[in-house]
Amino acid sequence: MRKLVLALATCALAASPLGAQDSSFEEQMAARFEPPPEGWTMPRTQWGDPDLRGKWPVDYLGRTPRERSPALGERAFLTDEEYERAFARADSDLDRYEEEDKAGLMAMGHWAEFGHPLRQSSMVVEPANGRYPPLTAQGQEWKANERTSWNTDVFESMNDFGIFDRCLTRGMPGSMLPGAYNGGIEIFQAPGLVAISLEMIHETRLVYLDGREPPAPDVQYDLGYSAGHWEGDKLVIETTNFRPGMSMGPAPNSDQLRITEHLTLMNDNQIHYEAWVRDPVVMEGHYKIDLPWLREDDYGMYEYACHEGNVQIRGYITATSPRFAEERAQAWIEQGEEPSEGVPVR
């Protein structure tokens, strides 16, 4: 794994030469991709479509933040010095794997799969400040009322957990972006169909290319309904029919969420991934994500053995709800400890 991370980091460095901050935005964006070899032609499937099949894990993108630091303003790329510091921090974190091995431990050095950062300062490139657009009043209300294990201390029911806590989905566009681990993405193709298999939450998106219309608006899906077409050699995917509250974006989504994606094979080993995200109920305007994907066909796609009702959900509830205070106190006593919550034991 370490060799793979370093190899991908080398590619990122090669695609982002030092001094790039003096180039134009367009030149810096283009520098993320290796030029195809002389005489290269677009590989095609047996039925003539551009061939995107293969594994494109996004774990190596995990050190590039989703949103840009406000301190960077509209600066879309790091300076040489900033990038060297960010790269060194990532290197230090990667060393934790070997340090844990020597200590006989398994901690975040084993779990996390972050790689090295890109030179671009955020995955979001539009708006120009690299941050989500402002929320509408409705978006602000939904955001304030959203409950997850990240913002909740006392859990009473399944409603106190987020969609990721419950192993339901990471929603869109989050499912196409790196998390802490399990960043595998594999593309399959058949005539009239593209399937995108996601390692995290073991979901698969089906993209229909046969011109069919989306179902009625009241037919909704966690990852939406995806219809695609080819614009030249570019795969264009329009996704609608989202189930409300199933996106890990700036706020829970409405049924008006719409995502347009472009996947373009730039050479044998890189895809240009772009996604425009709009939800007029939640956000004022749109945001765009723009990333280079790297092929890694030796990547192992592992089972994500998590399901709604997983034992950890019950553990959160029994460990925090006042309804179980006496049971917790009794457990402390049975271990020879004083009850930690001052609850009388019968």
Side-chain angles (χ1 to χ4, degrees):
M1 179 65 182
R2 182 64 186 275
K3 290 181 179 177
L4 171 60
V5 170
L6 290 176
L8 293 175
T10 301
C11 291
L13 282 168
S16 302
L18 295 180
Q21 70 269 24
D22 297 324
S23 305
S24 71
F25 173 77
E26 291 76 13
E27 289 172 330
Q28 292 176 81
M29 295 296 279
R32 300 172 304 166
F33 302 98
E34 292 289 336
E38 186 176 353
W40 183 79
T41 58
M42 178 68 65
R44 298 193 177 275
T45 63
Q46 299 91 320
W47 55 95
D49 289 342
D51 193 346
L52 307 180
R53 290 174 295 187
K55 295 176 183 176
W56 307 91
V58 293
D59 53 348
Y60 90 101
L61 295 168
R63 282 297 177 193
T64 300
R66 188 85 56 92
E67 289 189 276
R68 188 178 308 152
S69 167
L72 296 177
E74 296 189 358
R75 190 150 52 80
F77 285 80
L78 301 176
T79 65
D80 296 348
E81 293 77 12
E82 290 167 339
Y83 183 67
E84 289 168 0
R85 288 196 298 269
F87 195 92
R89 285 195 298 269
D91 245 357
S92 177
D93 286 343
L94 290 171
D95 287 338
R96 294 175 62 181
Y97 186 98
E98 294 175 356
E99 292 168 359
E100 290 170 8
D101 262 358
K102 292 178 182 177
L105 300 173
M106 286 188 66
M108 287 309 293
H110 280 70
W111 282 102
E113 298 172 351
F114 287 136
H116 290 83
L118 297 178
R119 281 293 294 261
Q120 67 187 77
S121 52
S122 58
M123 297 183 193
V124 174
V125 299
E126 295 175 10
N129 64 0
R131 301 186 64 77
Y132 294 133
L135 296 177
T136 63
Q138 181 66 79
Q140 294 176 39
E141 179 182 343
W142 286 350
K143 179 66 173 178
N145 292 328
E146 184 179 25
R147 295 177 68 82
T148 76
S149 63
W150 294 97
N151 64 12
T152 303
D153 295 321
V154 177
F155 301 85
E156 292 287 355
S157 75
M158 297 289 279
N159 294 328
D160 294 327
F161 297 88
I163 55 174
F164 196 18
D165 297 326
R166 294 167 62 182
C167 306
L168 297 178
T169 184
R170 288 202 298 152
M172 285 290 289
S175 292
M176 303 297 289
L177 303 175
Y181 47 82
N182 290 105
I185 295 177
E186 186 167 9
I187 297 178
F188 301 87
Q189 291 174 253
L193 182 69
V194 173
I196 304 174
S197 178
L198 308 168
E199 184 180 17
M200 184 77 84
I201 309 287
H202 45 251
E203 298 179 291
T204 298
R205 299 177 58 197
L206 298 180
V207 182
Y208 298 99
L209 306 178
D210 55 8
R212 70 181 72 182
E213 292 295 321
D218 59 347
V219 179
Q220 298 171 337
Y221 306 86
D222 292 354
L223 295 181
Y225 181 90
S226 296
H229 63 275
W230 296 98
E231 292 184 1
D233 292 335
K234 177 185 300 179
L235 176 61
V236 179
I237 306 173
E238 297 284 354
T239 306
T240 57
N241 293 72
F242 286 97
R243 195 189 317 277
M246 303 306 287
S247 174
M248 294 181 65
N253 65 288
S254 76
D255 61 1
Q256 297 301 303
L257 175 62
R258 186 181 186 97
I259 300 177
T260 302
E261 296 164 283
H262 291 177
L263 278 72
T264 309
L265 191 66
M266 305 298 288
N267 53 59
D268 284 333
N269 296 307
Q270 287 183 297
I271 284 178
H272 184 188
Y273 177 79
E274 303 168 272
W276 291 261
V277 183
R278 299 171 175 84
D279 190 336
V281 176
V282 171
M283 300 182 296
E284 298 177 358
H286 77 281
Y287 65 92
K288 180 190 178 185
I289 291 167
D290 194 313
L291 295 169
W293 285 4
L294 289 178
R295 181 190 297 277
E296 183 50 55
D297 284 335
D298 291 334
Y299 181 90
M301 296 279 284
Y302 288 94
E303 175 194 8
Y304 193 76
C306 184
H307 57 86
E308 187 170 16
N310 206 341
V311 293
Q312 196 59 33
I313 296 294
R314 182 180 185 277
Y316 271 83
I317 295 173
T318 57
T320 64
S321 170
R323 291 181 288 127
F324 297 95
E326 290 192 16
E327 288 88 339
R328 290 194 295 272
Q330 185 62 47
W332 281 109
I333 291 174
E334 291 173 357
Q335 295 181 48
E337 303 285 346
E338 287 293 325
S340 63
E341 298 173 290
V343 178
V345 181
R346 295 173 187 168

